[in-house]
């Protein structure tokens, strides 16, 4: 017995001290291999008396199992240690700054974003988006819109002209999006509900004017829409666009050749701080012009103004973008300064929706 | 249009406060732009008298004044004005006072070693006028020590309204008062101008001579007043004019200016002794000139209406009087003119000659025709009252046109257009108070507009009048009924494409810019534009002269601007219109982008994980393909052509086409010549996508994507390397490999290109990975070999290359 005890303690000690899988394998062969110490002892069992065998058999088998388990346990310890050592050696500096994703660095221009916001609001009210060419005829830009020839109202438009053609026609760059009203009414049967965003041009350049700018215009033509509906649309629009619960508005009579009656609309604002805050305070800010479509305009589109009626409104897209998002200078809209685009632009995946909130 | 509160009250009896008046003006469509009170600005300045003007010891041009301020000891002031003299009564600013015209605050100063305790001011220094030839020289009896603004009648509110062009009636204070009275803010005082009996016939006759051409003058009233005494006008009149920024000239001229602003009726006065013979109103003749009262000289032609006498042109009718026949302080006999001019003629002449006058402003908008003769009577009365003299009979040449316009007006029109319930009685009161005539009863009435309202055309105008005066607040906000239950798609294909392209490009790290639609002619020409029909006749500058044929010039120069600011790695794009011709269908929608420096998809500049190389043709090809994929172009069917516009590098550019003719996009690095011509620096790569060129998607059929055909069997991959000539394109090789076997080859990718050792000169090695997808059963080695043979044969046949051993 004492022999076996000695062997056991010898083997267990060497297993404990084994520092690699190879060393463990050597021990296994030394103990359990064909000519191993335990295997050799096992071979002697056959020559023993049954009594001796009764004692030695279980003892040897027990030893064999114990050593096998010890080797396996040591193997696991060694493997864990090796894995840990490997992992430790694989450590990297996770604080290293990474490149931003392209979808994080790209930006949408505020004008595009605001047009998408307008689309979201007015699509909900059943409007579609109409468009027209930038190069227009004098007829569509002025005459059909009831601007009399030579009237001072025409001059107020600071029109860009092209050179007169041989047949006397002189094309121009549209000074407002209103020619699309005419195009729409001539092409489409009422009821009509459209908004018309687009580029417009006036020969004017200073702190607050650029020779190119963006307008959006709305047009409703049917047999019953009146100024009360217009008022409601504009109130709902302002609340939705500026994302405020309530906003005071003021409608003032004004004059546009293509509407009668005509109104200008002011919204409540606060100018007391450095910037203009919409929907609070007791100051007024003019944001749009509107009115009932002039009977002459309806007639010019081949419709009977005693049957059809409706209204139109128009405002500056750049201007309402400035009011909502706080850009101080209109001219910067067209300068493509990366710093400005990064600061005032919008992320590509921030598509405005009414259900998700226009500005997220 | 400017006026003072007291001037308004001359015509309107009212207890309303300034605030109420200002508010109501705005709410009835006469928008108040500004209310100012000059006295606020001029508060500290007082009337002072120069007791003694002595020489300055150290300067010949300066004087040392002893000035009586009305209190305490006289103060010493050094003054350089030529008119500074003993006894002058002027306006003094003292140390601490802010001088608006100089934008300085006065302090005690030493001028050439003499102390000065203030400043005697000029009109310009007080922002009263541009006058700066000398200091203000007041009448001797002006009260020394009194606040100057109060004495000068400047201590009252001046209201400025932004008048819309449809309201000529409100170019006079009287018309504004009438609107306010109608809006319930007081009572309009009657104006009645007695007809003045003349003592003799007017010695000067008037002839309107327009022959067969359109008469530019409709009617002309004239009267002589003999023996007047002209001179400075009375203080009240001067104060009125000064308050609204007009310079008093002399009594006769001031009267015409006064009536212009009081009644919106411009007049003209001739010095009768300088008029030679009778007056002829006619079209100008080429070569004729006139020296205007504004000090400028004008050449006229047959489009311009002139008043002439035996000497030639004496006046630009309805716009500007002539200097030679103008009234001066010495005028003794005066001819007063009140005429009616053709609105379009006035506007055209004003535009042509570039003259803006208070008369033109009114006549081109349309003055009250029925007030032509009463205006003449009013002017005569004032001349007689202020200058004396004996009047001739008034003459009128030409008939005053009938301006009456009877409108059939159903009251229901108010509700139809505005949504407000207004009783006929209420509508009647409002219209009558504005001077309209009504006749009839019941649901429809006949309404006649007053002669001073040429803007009233029809029913809608009457609705506006009623609603404007009653107040737009009364309009009930009414929800617009919904058209259906759930809204349908509202965007057109073009709009959807723009939106998707925009988001796709921004998601690739490009930043959206909006650049001008007009570019310099040289750039337009370089990019295939510059046609005469697309050049502006009146560009705002030569840099914005031609409609752009491409978005690239704008983006390329924008990239350079950023580089000049120190940001050279920029990626910009724009989606917008380009112009092929001046027709509506010549305007096309394009998406274009530029990448500059190292602004690649992964990021720009140096980085620990690997620094970016400079941008190249492949970066922009990827952009173009991604954008085309986003708008549903069949990317796998697109053909890559090596041809691109000559603005690109000929060996590093290409185009993406749907079939050989439909070009969907061009891309590439820029030609060095293009950069030189635009005066910009690279590296730059760019693309343009022609959004309109892609055919409309088919609208037929459902939205089903069909069943997924995914095989349970493992795909098999085989690699091949081919030696081909250097100019063999990848496209050619890949197409040959893909086309080798249609059913089994699922994909072919190019994974290596090699030139150099082991590859013969002039050749390259291209290695491809061919993926075979078995469908029914696992492929045998024989089957795989058969496909491989087909691949090799097809590639060798179409590229002329060989399998690399």
């Amino acid at each position: 017995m004492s022999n076996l005890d000695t062997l056991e303690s010898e083997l267990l000690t060497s297993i404990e001290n084994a520092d690699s899988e190879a060393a463990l394998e050597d021990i296994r062969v030394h103990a359990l291999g064909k000519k191993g110490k335990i295997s050799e002892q096992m071979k002697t069992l056959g020559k023993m008396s049954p009594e001796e065998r009764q004692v030695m058999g279980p003892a040897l088998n027990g030893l064999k199992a114990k050593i096998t388990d010890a080797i396996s346990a040591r193997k696991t310890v060694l493997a864990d240690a090796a894995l840990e050592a490997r992992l430790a050696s694989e450590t990297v500096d996770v604080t290293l700054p990474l490149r931003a994703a392209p979808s994080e660095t790209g930006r949408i221009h505020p004008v595009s974003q605001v047009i998408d916001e307008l689309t979201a609001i007015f699509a909900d009210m059943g409007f579609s988006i109409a468009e027209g060419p930038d190069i227009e005829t004098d007829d569509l830009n002025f005459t059909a819109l009831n601007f009399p020839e030579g009237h001072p109202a025409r001059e107020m438009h600071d029109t860009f002209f092209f050179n007169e053609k041989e047949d006397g026609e002189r094309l121009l760059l549209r000074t407002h999006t209103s020619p699309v009203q005419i195009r729409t009414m001539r092409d489409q049967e009422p009821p009509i509900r459209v908004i018309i965003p687009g580029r417009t041009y006036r020969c004017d350049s200073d702190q607050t004017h650029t020779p190119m700018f963006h307008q959006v215009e709305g047009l409703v033509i049917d047999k019953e829409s009146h100024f009360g509906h217009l008022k409601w649309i504009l109130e709902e629009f302002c609340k939705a666009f500026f994302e405020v619960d309530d906003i005071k508005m003021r409608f003032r009579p004004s004059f546009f050749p293509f509407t009668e009656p005509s109104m200008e609309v002011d919204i409540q604002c606060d100018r007391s701080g450095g910037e203009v805050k919409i929907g609070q305070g007791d100051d007024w800010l003019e944001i749009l012009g509107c009115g009932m479509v002039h009977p002459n305009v309806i007639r010019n589109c081949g419709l009977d103004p005693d049957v059809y009626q409706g209204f139109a409104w128009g405002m500056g897209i750049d201007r309402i973008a400035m009011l909502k998002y706080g850009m101080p200078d209109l001219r910067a809209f067209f300068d493509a300064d990366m710093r400005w685009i990064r600061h005032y632009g919008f992320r590509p995946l921030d598509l405005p929706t009414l259900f998700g909130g226009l500005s997220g | 249009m400017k006026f003072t509160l007291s001037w308004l009250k001359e015509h309107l009896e009212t207890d309303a406060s300034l605030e109420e008046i200002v508010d109501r003006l705005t709410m009835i469509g006469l928008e108040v732009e500004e209310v100012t009170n000059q006295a606020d600005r001029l508060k500290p300045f007082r009337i002072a008298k120069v007791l003694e003007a002595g020489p300055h010891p150290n300067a010949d041009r300066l004087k040392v004044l002893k000035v009586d301020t009305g209190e305490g000891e006289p103060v010493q002031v050094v003054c350089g004005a030529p008119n500074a003299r003993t006894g002058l009564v002027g306006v003094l600013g003292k140390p601490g006072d802010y001088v608006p015209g100089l934008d300085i605050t006065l302090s005690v100063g030493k001028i050439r070693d003499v102390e000065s305790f203030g400043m005697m001011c000029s009109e310009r220094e007080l922002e009263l006028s541009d006058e700066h030839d000398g200091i203000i020289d007041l009448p001797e009896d002006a009260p020394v020590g009194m606040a100057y603004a109060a004495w000068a009648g400047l201590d009252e509110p001046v209201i400025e309204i932004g008048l819309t062009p449809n309201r000529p009636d409100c170019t006079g204070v009287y018309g504004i008062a009438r609107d306010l009275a109608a809006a319930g803010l007081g009572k309009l005082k009657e104006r009645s101008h007695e007809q003045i009996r003349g003592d003799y016939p007017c010695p000067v006759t008037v002839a309107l001579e327009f022959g067969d051409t359109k008469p530019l003058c409709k009617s002309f009233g004239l009267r002589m007043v003999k023996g007047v005494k002209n001179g400075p006008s009375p203080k009240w009149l001067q104060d009125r004019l000064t308050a609204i920024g007009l310079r008093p000239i002399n009594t006769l001229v001031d009267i015409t200016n006064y009536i212009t602003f009081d009644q919106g009726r411009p007049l003209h006065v001739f010095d009768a002794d300088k008029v030679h013979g009778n007056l002829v109103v006619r079209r100008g003749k080429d070569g004729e000139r006139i020296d205007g009262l504004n000090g400028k000289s004008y050449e006229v032609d047959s489009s311009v209406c002139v008043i002439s006498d035996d000497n030639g042109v004496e006046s630009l009718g309805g716009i500007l009087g002539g200097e030679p026949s103008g009234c001066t302080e010495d005028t003794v006999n005066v001819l007063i003119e009140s005429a009616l001019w053709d609105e379009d003629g006035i506007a055209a002449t004003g535009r042509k000659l570039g003259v803006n006058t208070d008369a033109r402003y009114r006549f081109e908008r349309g003055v009250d025709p029925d007030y032509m003769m009463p205006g003449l009577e009013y002017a005569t009365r004032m001349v007689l009252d202020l200058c004396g003299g004996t009047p001739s009979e008034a003459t009128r040449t030409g008939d005053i046109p009938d301006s009456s316009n009877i409108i059939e007006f159903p009251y229901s029109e108010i509700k139809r257009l505005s949504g407000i319930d207004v009783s006929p009685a209420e509508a009647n009161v409002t219209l009558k108070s504005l001077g309209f005539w009504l006749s009839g009863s019941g649901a429809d009435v006949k309404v006649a507009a007053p002669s001073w309202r040429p803007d009233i055309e029809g029913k809608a105008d009457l609705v506006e009048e009623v609603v404007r005066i009653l107040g737009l607040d009364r309009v009930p906000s009414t929800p617009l009924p919904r058209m259906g239950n759930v809204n349908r798609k509202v965007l057109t294909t073009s709009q959807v494409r723009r939106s998707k392209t925009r988001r796709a490009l921004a998601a690739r790290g490009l930043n959206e810019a909006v650049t001008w639609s007009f570019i310099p002619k040289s750039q337009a020409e370089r990019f295939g534009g510059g046609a005469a029909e697309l050049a502006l006749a009146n560009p705002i500058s030569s840099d914005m002269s031609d409609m752009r044929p491409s978005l690239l010039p704008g983006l390329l120069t924008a990239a350079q601007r950023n580089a000049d600011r120190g940001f050279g790695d920029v990626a910009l794009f724009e989606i917008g219109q380009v112009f092929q011709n001046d027709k509506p269908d010549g305007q096309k929608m394009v998406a274009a982008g530029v990448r500059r420096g190292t602004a690649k998809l992964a990021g720009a500049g140096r980085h620990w994980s690997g620094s970016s190389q400079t941008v190249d043709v492949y970066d922009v090809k990827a952009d173009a393909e991604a954008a085309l994929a986003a708008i549903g172009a069949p990317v796998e069917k697109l053909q890559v052509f090596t041809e691109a516009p000559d603005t690109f590098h000929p060996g590093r550019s290409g185009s993406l086409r749907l079939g050989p003719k439909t070009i969907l996009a061009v891309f590439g690095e820029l030609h060095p010549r293009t950069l030189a011509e635009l005066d910009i620096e690279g590296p730059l790569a760019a693309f343009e996508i022609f959004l309109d060129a892609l055919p409309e998607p088919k609208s037929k059929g459902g939205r089903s994507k069909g069943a997924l055909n995914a095989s349970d069997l493992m795909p098999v991959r085989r690699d091949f390397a081919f030696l081909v000539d250097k100019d063999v394109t990848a496209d050619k090789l890949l197409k040959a490999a893909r086309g080798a076997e249609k059913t089994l080859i699922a994909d072919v990718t190019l994974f290596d290109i090699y030139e150099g050792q082991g590859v013969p000169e002039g050749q390259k090695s291209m290695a491809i990975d061919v993926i075979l997808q078995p469908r029914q059963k696992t492929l045998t080695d024989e089957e795989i070999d058969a496909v491989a043979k087909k691949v090799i044969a097809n590639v060798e046949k179409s590229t002329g290359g060989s399998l690399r051993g």
Side-chain angles (χ1 to χ4, degrees), chain A residues 97 161 165 235 260 306 335, chain B residues 459 464 477 537 565 582 608:
Chain A
F161 289 102
K165 303 196 172 195
E235 284 164 356
E260 186 75 35
D306 284 325
D335 189 43
Chain B
K459 294 181 286 190
E464 173 168 73
S477 187
R565 293 185 190 112
D582 61 6
W608 62 266

Side-chain angles (χ1 to χ4, degrees), chain B residues 586-633:
Chain B
Q587 180 172 328
K588 302 286 186 196
M589 270 296 165
V590 173
V594 300
R595 290 182 180 271
R596 190 184 187 282
T598 64
K600 290 168 106 71
L601 179 68
R606 294 192 295 179
H607 197 262
W608 62 266
S609 66
S611 298
S612 288
Q613 303 300 304
T614 54
V615 296
D616 59 33
V617 58
Y618 301 116
D619 295 307
V620 286
K621 185 188 176 196
D623 290 330
E625 286 183 339
L628 285 172
I631 60 172

Side-chain angles (χ1 to χ4, degrees), chain B residues 331-534:
Chain B
T331 298
V332 180
N333 301 314
V334 60
L335 284 166
I336 310 171
E337 162 209 322
S338 178
L340 206 56
W341 308 93
D342 177 65
E343 291 82 359
D344 296 347
I346 293 285
T349 298
R351 259 200 312 275
K352 181 167 204 160
L353 302 181
V355 212
N356 274 310
T357 61
D358 292 321
R360 171 191 169 188
Y361 180 84
R362 286 162 179 76
F363 281 123
E364 71 183 358
R365 281 162 175 74
V367 302
D368 180 0
D370 291 359
Y371 192 72
M372 184 182 93
M373 293 312 283
L376 183 60
E377 300 295 351
Y378 187 19
T380 309
R381 180 77 268 156
M382 281 186 80
V383 169
L384 295 178
D385 289 352
L386 300 179
C387 305
T390 49
S392 77
E393 287 160 6
T395 68
R396 178 169 62 75
T397 312
D399 292 333
I400 289 170
D402 179 12
S403 58
S404 62
N405 171 20
I406 310 288
I407 300 163
E408 303 273 347
F409 186 56
Y411 290 109
S412 59
E413 198 70 1
I414 303 174
K415 170 102 177 164
R416 178 172 90 104
L417 294 180
S418 75
I420 319 183
D421 282 308
V422 178
S423 71
E426 204 175 4
N428 289 354
V429 169
T430 305
L431 288 172
K432 280 179 185 162
S433 65
L434 288 169
F436 289 81
W437 291 87
L438 286 84
S439 74
S441 56
D444 295 8
V445 281
K446 284 186 166 55
V447 180
S451 59
W452 56 82
R453 292 298 301 272
D455 58 310
I456 303 295
E457 252 183 73
K459 294 181 286 190
D461 301 285
L462 299 177
V463 173
E464 173 168 73
E465 289 308 299
V466 172
V467 174
R468 159 177 96 82
I469 296 298
L470 294 182
L472 293 166
D473 299 345
R474 282 185 50 178
V475 175
S477 187
T478 315
L480 187 73
R482 292 190 79 89
M483 286 173 109
N485 290 322
V486 174
N487 289 324
R488 304 274 176 258
K489 169 185 159 183
V490 299
L491 297 184
T492 61
T493 303
S494 169
Q495 290 158 353
V496 170
R497 282 179 186 167
R498 275 176 264 158
S499 174
K500 287 185 171 170
T501 308
R502 175 173 295 119
R503 305 265 161 195
L505 290 174
R508 293 180 62 79
L510 290 141
N511 291 277
E512 190 184 11
V514 176
T515 68
W516 306 114
S517 298
F518 16 59
I519 59 174
K521 184 170 246 1
S522 59
Q523 294 183 7
E525 284 170 347
R526 189 69 189 81
F527 282 80
E533 63 181 16
L534 290 171

